[in-house]
């Protein structure tokens, strides 16, 4: 080999693609990273490590974006201020994935950006140099994050022959789901579907929102409607991994102003055990994971009492979906209520967002740049993962600067806010906080024991590629110095004030 070829070979071996740094903009409530059609920050490449080496990614309140550094572990020296993994023998849940929802609002906002900015936005979530979401939630029809109330069969038709996907699917959901699938390539990407409202003619009230339940005679047809949805998306080459049994079934009972379909626990049991369950299992989608509950932690008590105790119902289920809307008032111990059935059901966090008290006039929908809202995500994800939850799914992937569009004025916040006027979008602290989990705690990772005598909050996972991923969250306004000790070796880290960090280490 000639010298030049040798040099080229060496440079190829050591070439680490330079990442784009955050284009930081300070705004009233904090700071964001700004992206447009020509520029967007990326996550520095995950390096292959030799035994004893680590790679550390850091995002702090003062410095948004993933900053990467590397180092090597040596002999452990101290017992003070440590974060310790002493063995890998005790294991907990296996992670299924992390992601967000392909709502109409998300698609509408993406579509308003210049084409190159659209690509950068989707790459930020799903690309190899983005936070690599591994799951997506897809509404079956409209939600409150639509610009109108609609279903796939608005005019009474008991044959469902007139069932048809709508413009929203064609323009705002399917193209972006397909781009996400392309960006994921061969990496796992799991989609699950959720319905909000049935066609009005199937409901007890003539309304998408407030009060309304399924008429008795349409329980079977409503299950057929789900199958039609999976058929229609299959024709678009989009396959699903799971389905939830109904978005927040309590909403239609208590009269919440969001597209809904109310089920009391006994009605939900009947719908699952006599209709949805048998119909799905006897279809070409028989492997779909059926995820029940799909509402806030606060209703887990009723779900535990009435549904998980019913073996006929549980026989059809694979998982329990839990939304975040009562997490600040109901302690995480309540999650144990979801683990009481005879069959082992996974617990998946299926919806979350900041700003949801905006509709009650209690907080702004959007608070661009808020570190506290990023912290709220981090805190909730910690709490869920510490309690055996297998994944965490955000609500809208993207909203506009007002937190919409939402046809019933239920605007909220999202990790990415698009500003169509400027042709740019803003990646908020929520994006980075959540990204530290979605990017590094890859599907198939298993939680292991980690302890600390510092002020840090810590979680640890053993990934399928044998690397350990430690999440180190410093909630304090001051840096915390800690010796990270893993299986007898150690390194000293200064964890910046108000920061979230992921340490990847190959034992
Ligand atoms: C996009 O952002 C970059 C970095 O801030 C800037 O240099 C460039 O002018 C922007 N492009 C457009 C089209 O606004
Ligand atoms: C689905 O995939 C098949 C096979 O790759 C292809 O022929 C067909 O055009 C695709 N359909 C759509 C709607 O993309
Ligand atoms: C299962 O589906 C087939 C047709 O696909 C139907 O003939 C049969 O009655 C169904 N069985 C049940 C139990 O629903
Ligand atoms: C959106 O962009 C416009 C045009 O550049 C600007 O005037 C406005 O302040 C931006 N909105 C936000 C919330 O940043």
């Amino acid at each position: 080999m000639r010298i030049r070829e040798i040099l080229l070979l060496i440079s190829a071996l050591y070439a680490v693609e330079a990442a784009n740094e955050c284009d930081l903009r300070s705004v009233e409530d904090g700071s964001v990273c700004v992206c447009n059609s020509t520029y967007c920050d990326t996550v520095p490449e995950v390096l292959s490590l030799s035994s004893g080496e680590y790679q550390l990614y850091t995002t702090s309140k003062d410095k948004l974006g993933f900053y990467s550094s590397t180092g090597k572990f040596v002999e452990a020296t101290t017992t003070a201020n440590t974060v310790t993994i002493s063995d890998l023998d005790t294991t907990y849940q296996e992670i299924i994935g992390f992601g967000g929802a392909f709502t109409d609002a998300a698609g509408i906002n993406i579509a308003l950006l210049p084409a190159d900015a659209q690509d950068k936005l989707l790459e930020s979530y799903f690309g190899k140099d983005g936070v690599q979401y591994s799951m997506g939630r897809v509404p079956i029809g409209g939600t409150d994050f639509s610009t109108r109330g609609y279903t796939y069969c608005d005019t009474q038709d008991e044959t469902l022959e007139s069932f048809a996907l709508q413009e929203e699917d064609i323009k705002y959901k399917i193209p972006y789901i397909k781009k996400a699938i392309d960006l994921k390539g061969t990496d796992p990407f799991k989609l699950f579907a959720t319905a909000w409202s049935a066609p009005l003619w199937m409901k007890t009230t003539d309304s998408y929102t407030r009060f309304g339940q399924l008429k008795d005679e349409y329980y079977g047809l409503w299950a057929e409607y789900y199958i039609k949805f999976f058929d229609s998306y299959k024709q678009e080459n989009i396959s699903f991994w799971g389905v939830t049994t109904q978005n927040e079934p309590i909403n239609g009972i208590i009269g919440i102003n969001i597209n809904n379909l109310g089920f009391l626990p006994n009605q939900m049991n009947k719908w699952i055990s006599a209709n949805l369950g048998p119909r799905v299992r006897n279809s070409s989608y028989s492997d779909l994971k059926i995820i029940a509950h799909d509402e806030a932690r606060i209703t887990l008590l009723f779900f535990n009492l009435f549904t998980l105790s019913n073996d006929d119902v549980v026989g059809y289920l694979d998982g329990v979906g839990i939304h975040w809307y009562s997490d600040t008032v109901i302690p995480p111990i309540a999650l144990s209520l979801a683990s009481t059935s005879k069959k082992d059901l996974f617990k998946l966090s299926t919806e979350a967002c900041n700003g949801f008290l905006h509709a009650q006039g209690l907080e702004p929908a959007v608070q661009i740049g808020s570190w506290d809202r990023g912290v709220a995500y981090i805190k909730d994800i910690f709490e869920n993962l510490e309690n055996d939850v297998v994944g965490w799914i955000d609500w809208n992937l993207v909203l506009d600067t007002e937190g919409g569009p939402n046809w019933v004025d239920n605007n909220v916040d999202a990790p990415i806010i698009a500003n169509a006027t400027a042709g740019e979008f803003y990646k908020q602290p929520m994006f980075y906080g959540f990204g530290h989990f979605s990017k590094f705690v890859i599907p198939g990772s298993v939680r292991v024991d980690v302890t600390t005598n510092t002020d840090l909050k810590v979680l640890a996972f053993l990934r399928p590629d044998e690397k350990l991923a430690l999440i180190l969250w410093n909630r304090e306004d001051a840096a915390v110095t800690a010796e990270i000790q893993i299986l007898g070796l150690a390194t000293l880290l200064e964890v910046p004030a108000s920061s979230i960090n992921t340490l990847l280490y190959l034992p």
Side-chain angles (χ1 to χ4, degrees):
M1 232 187 286
R2 281 175 301 177
I3 298 285
R4 190 174 157 276
E5 282 164 336
I6 293 172
L7 287 176
L8 272 177
L9 184 65
I10 292 173
S11 70
L13 280 174
Y14 288 93
V16 173
E17 208 181 304
N20 286 348
E21 284 197 11
C22 165
D23 179 14
L24 195 70
R25 182 180 296 173
S26 292
V27 291
E28 200 184 322
D29 289 312
S31 55
V32 294
C33 301
V34 182
C35 297
N36 61 23
S37 46
T38 58
Y39 191 85
C40 195
D41 55 296
T42 56
V43 188
E45 189 181 354
V46 175
L47 304 170
S48 52
L49 303 172
S50 309
S51 179
E53 286 180 343
Y54 73 83
Q55 183 175 14
L56 175 70
Y57 288 90
T58 296
T59 297
S60 63
K61 183 177 179 179
D62 294 337
K63 214 173 166 199
L64 287 188
F66 295 88
Y67 289 88
S68 166
S69 57
T70 55
K72 219 168 159 29
F73 275 46
V74 294
E75 291 299 315
T77 60
T78 177
T79 52
N81 302 323
T82 57
V83 170
T84 307
I85 295 179
S86 43
D87 64 66
L88 302 174
D89 300 338
T90 309
T91 57
Y92 302 91
Q93 78 271 33
E94 180 175 328
I95 295 299
I96 294 181
F98 299 95
F102 290 88
T103 57
D104 294 349
I108 289 166
N109 286 311
I110 296 171
L112 286 170
L113 291 170
D116 290 341
Q118 295 182 15
D119 289 343
K120 290 191 163 52
L121 192 155
L122 291 163
E123 284 160 13
S124 291
Y125 273 134
F126 304 101
K128 287 255 187 282
D129 56 9
V131 292
Q132 293 184 283
Y133 276 9
S134 51
M135 297 184 81
R137 186 173 184 220
V138 181
I140 300 176
T143 72
D144 51 324
F145 282 93
S146 299
T147 51
R148 61 182 181 122
Y150 69 92
T151 67
Y152 297 129
C153 191
D154 285 338
T155 310
Q156 179 150 6
D157 169 11
E158 294 180 7
T159 66
L160 295 183
E161 272 164 23
S162 56
F163 181 104
L165 296 184
Q166 298 294 297
E167 189 187 18
E168 284 86 345
D169 297 87
I170 309 302
K171 283 172 70 175
Y172 301 129
K173 278 151 68 171
I174 290 166
Y176 305 125
I177 295 170
K178 282 188 169 171
K179 281 198 180 169
I181 291 171
D182 282 350
L183 285 166
K184 291 304 293 180
T186 54
D187 288 343
F189 188 50
K190 292 184 163 71
L191 295 171
F192 65 97
T194 297
W196 267 252
S197 177
L200 300 187
W201 53 271
M202 290 193 198
K203 295 179 75 171
T204 53
T205 56
D206 189 32
S207 174
Y208 290 109
T209 63
R210 302 286 182 195
F211 299 93
Q213 293 185 258
L214 198 56
K215 284 181 180 162
D216 285 344
E217 62 267 39
Y218 291 131
Y219 271 62
L221 200 61
W222 183 227
E224 290 306 320
Y225 182 102
Y226 275 60
I227 301 295
K228 290 266 188 193
F229 170 81
F230 292 119
D231 287 343
S232 304
Y233 267 66
K234 188 167 188 172
Q235 281 182 4
E236 295 289 343
N237 292 337
I238 296 173
S239 305
F240 284 82
W241 162 83
V243 62
T244 73
T245 50
Q246 166 64 40
N247 181 67
E248 300 178 359
I250 200 75
N251 289 355
I253 304 290
I254 61 176
I256 301 273
N257 187 30
I258 292 176
N259 315 31
N260 63 46
L261 188 61
F263 287 89
L264 289 166
N266 62 317
Q267 294 167 329
M268 180 48 75
N269 284 352
K270 180 187 148 200
W271 154 243
I272 294 169
S273 63
N275 306 107
L276 185 70
R279 186 64 187 92
V280 164
R281 295 293 178 237
N282 187 32
S283 73
S284 50
Y285 313 106
S286 58
D287 290 340
L288 275 177
K289 303 292 180 205
I290 301 184
I291 304 163
H293 190 253
D294 206 20
E295 63 186 328
R297 202 182 271 177
I298 196 167
T299 53
L300 276 175
L301 180 61
F302 301 99
F303 183 72
N304 167 279
L305 285 176
F306 297 107
T307 302
L308 291 181
S309 59
N310 186 322
D311 295 343
D312 287 345
V313 178
V314 168
Y316 285 107
L317 303 182
D318 297 286
V320 181
I322 302 143
H323 294 188
W324 103 322
Y325 304 102
S326 57
D327 287 6
T328 55
V329 289
I330 307 293
I333 185 77
L335 288 166
S336 61
L337 292 168
S339 310
T340 55
S341 59
K342 271 193 193 159
K343 191 169 156 187
D344 192 19
L345 305 178
F346 63 75
K347 287 178 279 186
L348 181 67
S349 182
T350 44
E351 191 183 304
C353 68
N354 277 299
F356 68 97
L357 295 175
H358 166 72
Q360 283 73 47
L362 296 174
E363 59 178 339
V366 179
Q367 227 173 356
I368 296 182
S370 165
W371 178 256
D372 288 348
R373 286 191 170 183
V375 164
Y377 267 32
I378 295 167
K379 177 176 184 292
D380 192 73
I381 298 167
F382 256 88
E383 199 174 278
N384 277 282
L385 295 180
E386 283 166 348
N387 286 279
D388 294 334
V389 168
V390 297
W392 199 88
I393 315 299
D394 189 32
W395 189 208
N396 302 275
L397 290 168
V398 200
L399 290 173
D400 65 24
T401 55
E402 304 297 316
N406 183 292
W407 76 292
V408 293
D409 297 326
N410 186 31
N411 293 21
V412 300
D413 216 333
I416 292 184
I417 295 295
N419 186 345
T421 322
E424 59 190 22
F425 61 91
Y426 312 127
K427 287 153 80 171
Q428 304 215 65
M430 284 181 271
F431 175 88
Y432 297 93
F434 183 22
H436 271 268
F437 298 86
S438 65
K439 173 85 182 174
F440 306 112
V441 185
I442 57 181
S445 297
V446 173
R447 186 163 68 88
V448 295
D449 264 333
V450 57
T451 57
T452 185
N453 52 21
T454 68
D455 287 335
L456 299 173
K457 285 280 286 176
V458 293
L459 275 170
F461 298 85
L462 181 59
R463 307 180 356 145
D465 65 0
E466 311 292 323
K467 282 180 189 163
L468 282 159
L470 273 74
I471 313 269
L472 307 161
W473 173 28
N474 183 0
R475 300 163 290 177
E476 311 298 319
D477 288 337
V480 170
T481 303
E483 185 167 301
I484 315 296
Q485 303 184 343
I486 303 179
L487 309 176
L489 295 183
T491 193
L492 192 66
L493 294 184
E494 189 180 82
V495 183
S498 302
S499 71
I500 176 87
N501 310 265
T502 309
L503 182 121
L504 297 175
Y505 173 75
L506 188 66

